[in-house]
Amino acid sequence: MSRFAMEPLPQPVKLYVYDLSRGLARQFSPMMLGKQLDGIWHTAVVVNGEEFFYGSSGIANCQPGGTLLGPPDSVIDLGTTEVTEEIFMDYLSSLGESSFRGECYKLFEHNCNTFSNEVSQFLTGKKIPSHIMDLPAEILSTPFGQLIKPIVDSVQIHPAGGNIGGRHNQS
């Protein structure tokens, strides 16, 4: 077998971005927060023909655009990866057993965007856009954000999909 047959082909890596508010953040954030927000972002990483995301039930996957959220509001090209599918699935399994278990989910501090950022860096060496990562701090910097934090901390988000490896985390 030649050396070239052993090297993985670069795979595209995409960030699927969904506005959980369906446009309401853009409309009401100036009144409620005193600043303009373009959306309340949920993200997922698409690689090897699958969409991978994190929610209160842990790491899950589905066909691209196959969650209850429907098609993404935008798709960001993160680059390519030469990480094999096998290594990537082992990596996700490890994350799912450690820092990205369902019970570790916190809407403001450790969420789908934290997961997407970590996975993007593993696959491509690049972070996801800062306006997505900075959104929780931006909301919490307002009086309204501080008021709703205790309520929002109790919210669990999990767009339907299958758990990695067929394992369902016990939350």
Side-chain angles (χ1 to χ4, degrees):
M1 204 173 217
S2 78
R3 179 177 78 85
F4 297 105
M6 303 295 280
E7 293 179 12
L9 294 174
Q11 294 294 313
V13 180
K14 308 284 185 189
L15 183 71
Y16 276 29
V17 182
Y18 302 88
D19 177 9
L20 294 176
S21 78
R22 306 230 187 247
L24 293 176
R26 183 186 310 264
Q27 186 176 354
F28 292 110
S29 62
M31 287 182 290
M32 298 176 77
L33 300 174
K35 58 172 65 178
Q36 178 71 49
L37 297 181
D38 291 328
I40 304 298
W41 309 122
H42 166 76
T43 59
V45 173
V46 175
V47 65
N48 299 320
E50 290 288 318
E51 179 173 345
F52 298 91
F53 54 91
Y54 174 63
S56 59
S57 294
I59 299 171
N61 67 308
C62 65
Q63 293 181 357
T67 69
L68 294 174
L69 301 172
D73 293 292
S74 65
V75 176
I76 298 171
D77 183 5
L78 295 172
T80 61
T81 189
E82 293 189 16
V83 173
T84 66
E85 189 171 359
E86 181 181 1
I87 290 171
F88 180 59
M89 294 307 289
D90 287 346
Y91 169 74
L92 287 182
S93 180
S94 173
L95 288 180
E97 293 169 3
S98 59
S99 56
F100 288 95
R101 296 183 320 275
E103 63 269 16
C104 296
Y105 183 88
K106 300 265 188 261
L107 188 60
F108 281 121
E109 293 94 15
H110 191 75
N111 56 37
C112 58
N113 303 323
T114 312
F115 170 78
S116 294
N117 192 52
E118 189 155 325
V119 169
S120 176
Q121 289 180 76
F122 177 78
L123 292 172
T124 69
K126 298 176 190 167
K127 295 181 177 186
I128 69 171
S130 60
H131 76 274
I132 294 172
M133 290 301 297
D134 295 343
L135 181 65
E138 193 171 342
I139 293 171
L140 290 174
S141 72
T142 68
F144 184 75
Q146 286 299 305
L147 179 68
I148 65 167
K149 186 178 185 321
I151 298 163
V152 173
D153 279 344
S154 68
V155 171
Q156 296 187 354
I157 295 177
H158 180 72
N163 283 56
I164 297 300
R167 290 188 303 272
H168 292 275
N169 295 331
Q170 304 298 315
S171 306

